[in-house]
Amino acid sequence: MRLGVLDVGSNTVHLLIVDAHRGGHPTPMTSEKTSLRLAESLDQDDRLSKAGADALVRAVREARDSAAAANCGDLLAFATSALRDASNSAAVLARVHDETGVSLQVLPGEDEARYTFLAVRRWFGWSAGRLLVLDIGGGSLELAAGLDELPELAESLPLGAGRLTREWFRSDPPTRQEVAALREHIDIVLAPVAAKLGTLDRADRAVGTSKTFRSLARLTGAAPSSAGPRARRVLTDTGLRQVAAFISRMSASDLAELEGVSASRAHQLVAGALVAEATMRALGRSELEICPWALREGVILRRLDWLDGTTRVDDPAHDTGLVASREARYTG
């Protein structure tokens, strides 16, 4: 079947259309991105502005039309940190549904971590042993660890690269004092989760997913995207420290000129590097392997599991309802 996954994140609205079947891997057909930076449209009361909501409605409508034109049999639509944090998220979601017919579901951060963990497990397989999975988004940092497809621990922390950039940096590039203050803050927030992870058996493989880790790995010499998704890519603590020191002295416009750094995310790369560096240090990892699959692929895989009957719809440990609902998710 052909599936569409619509991911409304803090930075972008991303539609991924794949051909998938039970027992097979999802084959990407098309991918469309719209840069909205929704998190930057939140006011002092954490309300999403009218302009932000207008832009979201337009983006979702366009994604709905693209999914319909591609003959998608289903559209799985979800929102993450930006709408999760918005104090008027219920009203915004209702408006999106009324004007587009798309039912956006806000994913709890822990579910983001679980879906991403599933994707990484399927990508590397059982031979990878125990996994530790890290994902730096625009609004949050997700961490998950375990031996099976359902992690033993799944956590979400307010350490997204975009969030920290907005809250801690006033200069471009940031001052040394701003960088030092943010480092201290990250260490404090990470400490409790690092202690929890310390009670589990040590992971055989540590993995980073999503754009921030991919960009940082590329800057340390990992293979470019043109090498394909199966090229092995790693991010080492030594390389990361060198890159963090280098990019912290660069303006966002200069960072956007670097290979592997997108213009829409360049302004938050320094904060992302600081989170990556602090997390690897707190968890005692000298190397992360980069996985091309993440949250969207995890949602698709869980949906296929549900269609195959291997996921029970009454098991809250597996689903919040995103992939198990039979109701029409879009019109067109």
Side-chain angles (χ1 to χ4, degrees):
M1 65 183 302
R2 180 159 291 179
L3 291 173
V5 177
L6 181 60
D7 177 358
V8 178
S10 298
N11 293 303
T12 61
V13 174
H14 188 169
L15 173 67
L16 175 65
I17 296 176
V18 302
D19 280 343
H21 62 276
R22 301 172 191 177
H25 70 280
T27 302
M29 301 304 294
T30 61
S31 177
E32 299 177 7
K33 295 181 183 180
T34 304
S35 179
L36 293 188
R37 294 189 184 180
L38 284 181
E40 297 178 16
S41 296
L42 299 178
D43 62 21
Q44 293 181 343
D45 296 321
D46 287 332
R47 291 179 59 85
L48 184 65
S49 67
K50 183 179 183 303
D54 290 345
L56 175 60
V57 168
R58 287 194 298 270
V60 171
R61 183 183 293 116
E62 291 172 1
R64 176 205 65 189
D65 293 345
S66 293
N71 296 317
C72 285
D74 205 351
L75 179 66
L76 309 174
F78 61 88
T80 56
S81 179
L83 284 180
R84 193 163 62 227
D85 295 341
S87 59
N88 61 336
S89 62
V92 172
L93 294 173
R95 182 185 167 194
V96 169
H97 182 267
D98 290 344
E99 298 188 26
T100 69
V102 175
S103 297
L104 274 177
Q105 178 168 328
V106 176
L107 282 184
E110 291 77 10
D111 283 349
E112 283 192 58
R114 293 187 185 101
Y115 283 127
T116 301
F117 186 88
L118 171 65
V120 174
R121 166 59 71 196
R122 295 281 178 90
W123 178 267
F124 286 111
W126 295 112
S127 64
R130 297 185 64 87
L131 290 174
L132 169 65
V133 178
L134 311 176
D135 183 351
I136 302 173
S140 58
L141 163 70
E142 274 68 52
L143 309 93
L147 180 61
D148 300 319
E149 291 199 336
L150 186 67
E152 297 167 32
L153 180 144
E155 297 277 350
S156 179
L157 299 175
L159 294 178
R163 179 197 299 271
L164 296 180
T165 299
R166 294 190 305 275
E167 294 179 352
W168 289 85
F169 292 165
R170 296 292 177 266
S171 306
D172 181 23
T175 66
R176 291 184 179 180
Q177 292 78 10
E178 289 172 341
V179 169
L182 179 53
R183 285 185 193 275
E184 182 178 2
H185 170 73
I186 295 170
D187 288 341
I188 291 171
V189 175
L190 274 172
V193 173
K196 288 183 183 180
L197 284 166
T199 66
L200 304 179
D201 291 338
R202 184 173 175 82
D204 299 297
R205 185 177 306 216
V207 179
T209 74
S210 299
K211 184 62 176 179
T212 295
F213 278 121
R214 290 199 303 270
S215 295
L216 293 170
R218 180 71 190 106
L219 291 176
T220 62
S225 58
S226 60
R230 291 181 176 80
R232 187 174 186 269
R233 297 173 174 87
V234 298
L235 176 64
T236 66
D237 57 351
T238 300
L240 179 57
R241 283 194 299 271
Q242 294 172 345
V243 164
F246 174 67
I247 65 176
S248 65
R249 299 191 294 270
M250 299 177 65
S251 67
S253 59
D254 288 337
L255 287 173
E257 299 297 321
L258 298 178
E259 184 179 355
V261 179
S262 62
S264 63
R265 295 173 185 259
H267 67 294
Q268 62 188 47
L269 187 62
V270 173
L274 296 178
V275 173
E277 184 182 7
T279 305
M280 292 178 70
R281 183 174 63 250
L283 301 181
R285 309 306 304 209
S286 61
E287 179 180 289
L288 296 179
E289 190 158 353
I290 307 303
C291 179
W293 279 6
L295 175 59
R296 286 179 291 275
E297 288 78 11
V299 168
I300 292 168
L301 292 166
R302 185 55 80 207
R303 175 62 169 168
L304 293 174
D305 287 349
W306 181 82
L307 291 170
D308 197 31
T310 56
T311 296
R312 301 199 320 270
V313 299
D314 60 346
D315 187 348
H318 286 79
D319 267 299
T320 58
L322 171 64
V323 301
S325 174
R326 287 184 180 274
E327 68 182 54
R329 291 182 177 84
Y330 69 101
T331 58

